[in-house]
Amino acid sequence: MTDIEGVDAWEVLDSRGEPTVRVRVETADGAGTFTVPAGASTGAHEAVERRDGGDRYGGRGVRDAVAAVRDELAPVVVGRPATDQRGIDEALVDRDGTESLSRLGANAVLGVSGAVARAAAAATDRPLYEALAPDAGPGSLPLPMVNVLSGGLHAAADLPIQDFLAVPVGADTYPEALETAWAVRRAAGRRIGDGDHPPPVADEGGFVPPVADADAAFDLLVDAVRDAGHDPGSDVAIAVDVAATHFYDPDRERYALPGEALSREAMIDRVAGWIDDHPVRSVEDPLAEDDWRGWERLADRVGDRVQLLGDDLLATNAARLDRAVDAGAANAALIKPNQAGTITRTRRVLERAVDAGWAPVVSARSGETCDSTIADLAVALDAGQIKIGSLARSERLAKYNRLLEIDRRHGGGFAGAAALSPRL
Ligand code: PGA
Ligand code: ZN
């Protein structure tokens, strides 16, 4: 019997020590637990995360969202078959009654949606990557983009750019990709550390580099690739998450980099320069989340050479994705379940991206737990790429390690460099 018999929720702490929502859904034949992640560099167009305010946990408590699960969402799902993910997700969204899920909180709604998915897998005795897969079955193991250097809102660094990542494009298997990225990360750590003490790590486990300038960070990462015995570009390409929304000043219409205030045109030139000067293969959020004109111009200029990945721009939102596809504003979509608010919405945005010829990249948040659902989701939906953070901190490794388990149990091959947009 897959009918849902009970739903419970409670407050736990995430990898930053911040409160978040954990939900457990029970059926007669199995239960599922899911824990909601949280961003720091959140976009304005994401589904709305509900926080209590007040004094508890500095206002960051989630007791109201937990109460919403118990009091308002549980009655909506109890008695329904856990396997009816789509019907349940629609009912959850209806119960909230707002598009952005701001009434009950996207953290309440996604908590239930994710736990239903896990309960359905348990009740039907299937691994999650099979239970979430379409009729054609699960896909291949995703190419990881691994955070090596961190700045922006994720680190006490002088560097405003958020992530510098290693993409092991020369790897033939997922385990080989991890090993390659690990070697690059270790080499970067040796360049940054003093030999006696480990260098500081940021929210996603990347190192905090002693540089403020993007070109210096690119050079450091490329040197680390070489130190690790790999060829920059052909073995290991570079990805960058500029997270430009978070240093854009909308009043002055300027991008605030150390000692400079760049206009849109100057920022576009700067990003194009990085692509010319370094082996960059993927650029996320190079411009602010509502700078549509800038995105279109940049896409015209470099979209045939590099993956242009929308995170804050798209916010895993179908309407924003459609607009971006129509405008040709990017060529890849970051997929974050808690930006969307339900598993079904997440799946829909991913499938729409694929239909448009764009590459989807399933992504963690900077605030995570050891919940590994996104690893299964990426394989189930054959996303091709995944972005989890660095190869450190258990909330990151839970997902990388889950992919190793899926590789062992399911096989399914490795998406590799062919997953990157555009296909070169
Ligand atoms: P966030 O960062 O979870 O803090 O938003 C991740 C990202 O920007 O990709
Ligand atoms: Zn991002």
Side-chain angles (χ1 to χ4, degrees), residues 370-387:
C370 289
D371 189 295
S372 57
T373 300
I374 58 164
D376 288 72
L377 188 73
V379 175
L381 303 184
D382 202 18
Q385 296 179 69
I386 197 163
K387 181 183 179 224

Side-chain angles (χ1 to χ4, degrees), residues 234-250:
S234 58
D235 293 334
V236 180
I238 307 299
V240 59
D241 182 359
V242 184
T245 302
H246 305 284
F247 56 84
Y248 180 67
D249 177 347

Side-chain angles (χ1 to χ4, degrees), residues 16 38-43 46 154 162-163 204 241 243 284-285 311-312 334 336 339 363-367 387:
R16 270 191 286 255
S41 64
T42 49
E46 301 189 12
H154 293 171
Q162 187 177 283
D163 310 337
E204 297 195 4
D241 182 359
E284 179 177 335
D285 283 357
D311 173 13
D312 291 347
L334 207 71
K336 291 171 165 171
Q339 288 181 329
S363 174
R365 299 309 304 246
S366 52
K387 181 183 179 224

Side-chain angles (χ1 to χ4, degrees), residues 86-289:
R86 192 152 42 116
I88 288 176
D89 285 346
E90 273 169 21
L92 294 172
V93 169
D94 281 354
R95 182 63 187 237
D96 178 88
T98 68
E99 184 57 31
S100 63
L101 308 178
S102 58
R103 190 177 77 81
L104 300 177
N107 42 349
V109 174
L110 180 68
V112 177
S113 181
V116 165
R118 299 195 71 98
T124 55
D125 205 20
R126 288 176 300 174
L128 186 60
Y129 59 84
E130 276 180 17
L132 285 171
D135 292 342
S140 50
L141 272 288
L143 173 71
M145 48 173 83
V146 177
N147 186 319
V148 178
L149 306 175
S150 295
L153 296 179
H154 293 171
D158 298 327
L159 181 68
I161 314 295
Q162 187 177 283
D163 310 337
F164 292 81
L165 309 100
V167 190
V169 290
D172 293 321
T173 67
Y174 172 76
E176 188 189 327
L178 271 200
E179 206 174 313
T180 300
W182 181 93
V184 173
R185 183 180 187 276
R186 186 178 66 160
R190 286 185 169 167
R191 280 185 172 264
I192 296 168
D194 64 6
D196 293 326
H197 307 93
V201 298
D203 278 358
E204 297 195 4
F207 295 123
V208 182
V211 298
D213 174 60
D215 285 299
F218 281 119
D219 286 342
L220 203 171
L221 183 47
V222 167
D223 287 342
V225 170
R226 286 207 188 91
D227 290 351
H230 294 293
D231 184 51
S234 58
D235 293 334
V236 180
I238 307 299
V240 59
D241 182 359
V242 184
T245 302
H246 305 284
F247 56 84
Y248 180 67
D249 177 347
D251 296 329
R252 294 174 57 220
E253 299 188 352
R254 287 290 181 277
Y255 290 89
L257 289 172
E260 321 178 81
L262 302 183
S263 67
R264 167 196 287 147
E265 294 308 323
M267 187 66 196
I268 290 171
D269 288 343
R270 181 65 52 88
V271 173
W274 294 338
I275 295 164
D276 288 339
D277 295 345
H278 310 284
V280 173
R281 184 64 177 82
S282 178
V283 182
E284 179 177 335
D285 283 357
L287 294 159
E289 61 198 345

